[in-house]
Amino acid sequence: MAVELEVFADQIDNLLASIDRDTSLSHLQRTANQYRDVVAALERIDTGEYGICEDCDQQISPRRLSAVPQARRCVRCQERFERAAA
Ligand SMILES: [Zn+2]
């Protein structure tokens, strides 16, 4: 019985460790994506394209830019992009 409990505890430990790894990896990917978006926004400032939607070439609303300064798309195109990616 004690051995079974130990094996079970080891399995739980392994499961928790794998959840931790997944969480860290997903956090790292999110942070890397945000970093890439910020760098891309800085490049668009350099080229004078900042605030222009990369899909429809329309001006991104100042309200959206103030909420998400690194936004690459207007709200409508971003929603379409996310639907297509899902
Ligand atoms: Zn757009």
Side-chain angles (χ1 to χ4, degrees):
M1 184 68 167
V3 172
E4 284 174 11
L5 278 179
E6 244 178 71
V7 168
F8 183 66
D10 283 349
Q11 288 173 341
I12 296 286
D13 278 348
N14 288 340
L15 179 64
L16 290 176
S18 91
I19 290 171
D20 261 1
R21 275 196 305 274
D22 288 350
T23 305
S24 299
L25 187 60
S26 122
H27 177 73
L28 190 64
Q29 284 170 334
R30 227 181 6 258
T31 304
N33 286 342
Q34 288 169 345
Y35 175 76
R36 205 175 47 225
D37 285 349
V38 168
V39 169
L42 293 172
E43 286 171 0
R44 287 196 304 276
I45 289 173
D46 276 349
T47 60
E49 295 168 338
Y50 180 75
I52 307 292
C53 174
E54 67 180 30
D55 286 358
C56 70
D57 291 333
Q58 299 296 306
Q59 188 78 40
I60 300 172
S61 77
R63 192 169 156 198
R64 172 160 170 72
L65 286 176
S66 95
V68 187
Q70 72 276 25
R72 299 162 61 175
R73 298 177 182 84
C74 68
V75 172
R76 203 182 55 199
C77 291
Q78 184 63 37
E79 285 173 356
R80 190 180 310 140
F81 176 79
E82 286 173 9
R83 271 198 307 272

